[in-house]
Amino acid sequence: MAKKKKKKSFIWGWIIIGIFMALLLVIVYIWQQNNNRPVPIDFTFDANFGIPIPDNYAIHGIDVSVHQSNVNWGMVKNTRSDKIAIGFVFIKATEGLSNADIQFNKNWQQLAQFGITRGAYHFFLATRNGAQQAQNFIRTVPLQIGDLPPAVDVEELYGVKPAQLKKRLKEYLQTIEDYYKVKPIIYTYASFYENYLGKEFDDYPLWVAHYKTPQQPRIQRPWQFWQHSDEGHITGIKTKVDFDVFNGDSTAFRAMLIQH
């Protein structure tokens, strides 16, 4: 009888340990879900820009392409509210293997003329060779000290398998980093990043698009820029324009810029 009691006690001991471990896993899972949940934040409508602007961000910007046509950058620079001014601008430079945005050179030069921090991005085509797309950007964009790192806009598969997309994007990013000696920024939608890119690209700065919800981007990794609206207005631009914020203070923003 003593041996049977010891055996039962041993089994019950393992059962209790198993229950405890299961409860611990549940607690850890709930904690992770709560910590990865987007943080609700306040937006304040700003009549100068025609959209609600997320509060508690010090540095605001926009991004443009040929779709915004001719931009009066002097007027853009002088448009501000009590709390918000345009502190940076990303402009489209290139697309695919050989296309260049027809407004790029003018925008690039005038941003420097008006002292607005500038960045350039490439629209990535998953159907094309990544290294060759990078050479198109390199031929077009003369980055200088004080500019933002080069960005790549990747948001479509175009029928390509995710593995092929990743391979070509890695080729693009490595070619750009080798040439400019700075880590490129990836722009994409939160859902696209998590569905098709994920942890393999977590070392790159992220510029994430996430609209029309009262919270930060729904993504489980750090991000540097947030495109929070595609319906903004600003004096000097006739069309709607994308609005962005930088996730940090002025010191962190300066550290992002090309240093040499």
Side-chain angles (χ1 to χ4, degrees):
M1 288 294 291
K3 287 184 178 179
K4 287 184 178 180
K5 286 182 179 179
K6 286 182 179 179
K7 187 175 181 180
K8 286 182 179 179
S9 298
F10 178 79
I11 292 171
W12 275 108
W14 277 106
I15 291 172
I16 292 170
I17 291 172
I19 293 171
F20 174 79
M21 293 300 295
L23 287 172
L24 183 62
L25 289 172
V26 170
I27 291 169
V28 170
Y29 175 79
I30 292 172
W31 181 87
Q32 287 178 333
Q33 292 302 305
N34 286 334
N35 279 272
N36 288 328
R37 187 176 297 163
V39 179
I41 57 174
D42 293 327
F43 283 70
T44 301
F45 182 82
D46 194 309
N48 291 281
F49 306 115
I51 55 171
I53 300 288
D55 295 340
N56 301 322
Y57 292 96
I59 302 172
H60 299 259
I62 60 174
D63 56 274
V64 303
S65 69
V66 66
H67 299 296
Q68 278 68 45
S69 189
N70 291 304
V71 177
N72 186 320
W73 291 110
M75 296 178 74
V76 169
K77 182 176 181 179
N78 291 326
T79 302
R80 60 185 64 221
S81 63
D82 292 340
K83 296 182 179 180
I84 298 169
I86 300 303
F88 64 90
V89 178
F90 281 106
I91 60 176
K92 183 179 179 181
T94 50
E95 178 175 337
L97 297 178
S98 59
N99 291 336
D101 191 289
I102 61 173
Q103 294 290 335
F104 172 74
N105 286 330
K106 179 182 178 182
N107 286 334
W108 192 247
Q109 293 168 11
Q110 290 194 356
L111 285 169
Q113 177 186 337
F114 287 101
I116 303 172
T117 300
R118 61 189 184 176
Y121 72 88
H122 173 82
F123 191 86
F124 189 81
L125 298 181
T127 55
R128 299 291 183 264
N129 179 280
Q132 292 177 10
Q133 291 190 69
Q135 290 300 329
N136 182 23
F137 185 89
I138 289 167
R139 288 192 301 269
T140 306
V141 183
L143 291 175
Q144 299 176 0
I145 293 172
D147 292 334
L148 286 159
V152 57
D153 177 345
V154 52
E155 54 187 84
E156 294 283 350
L157 286 174
Y158 296 106
V160 170
K161 292 182 178 180
Q164 185 75 317
L165 164 70
K166 290 180 181 180
K167 178 178 179 293
R168 289 171 174 166
L169 182 58
K170 286 177 181 178
E171 292 171 351
Y172 178 91
L173 293 167
Q174 191 59 58
T175 304
I176 291 292
E177 186 170 357
D178 288 345
Y179 183 81
Y180 291 107
K181 310 303 181 187
V182 64
K183 225 164 185 57
I185 300 167
I186 294 175
Y187 165 92
T188 193
Y189 293 89
S191 58
F192 191 90
Y193 188 92
E194 295 196 329
N195 290 336
Y196 302 116
L197 301 180
K199 295 187 180 300
E200 294 177 53
F201 296 88
D202 280 356
D203 288 340
Y204 291 92
L206 180 63
W207 173 16
V208 59
H210 179 81
Y211 310 145
K212 300 180 177 68
T213 55
Q215 55 200 9
Q216 293 177 350
R218 292 179 179 174
I219 194 159
Q220 297 180 12
R221 59 147 290 180
W223 51 269
Q224 284 66 43
F225 296 92
W226 170 21
Q227 188 184 82
H228 58 84
S229 178
D230 59 353
E231 297 184 346
H233 295 273
I234 188 168
T235 304
I237 300 178
K238 296 178 181 178
T239 65
K240 292 180 179 179
V241 64
D242 301 331
F243 269 69
D244 310 271
V245 292
F246 174 71
N247 191 20
D249 60 16
S250 58
T251 300
F253 185 75
R254 287 194 296 272
M256 279 284 302
L257 305 180
I258 292 174
Q259 307 295 323
H260 54 78

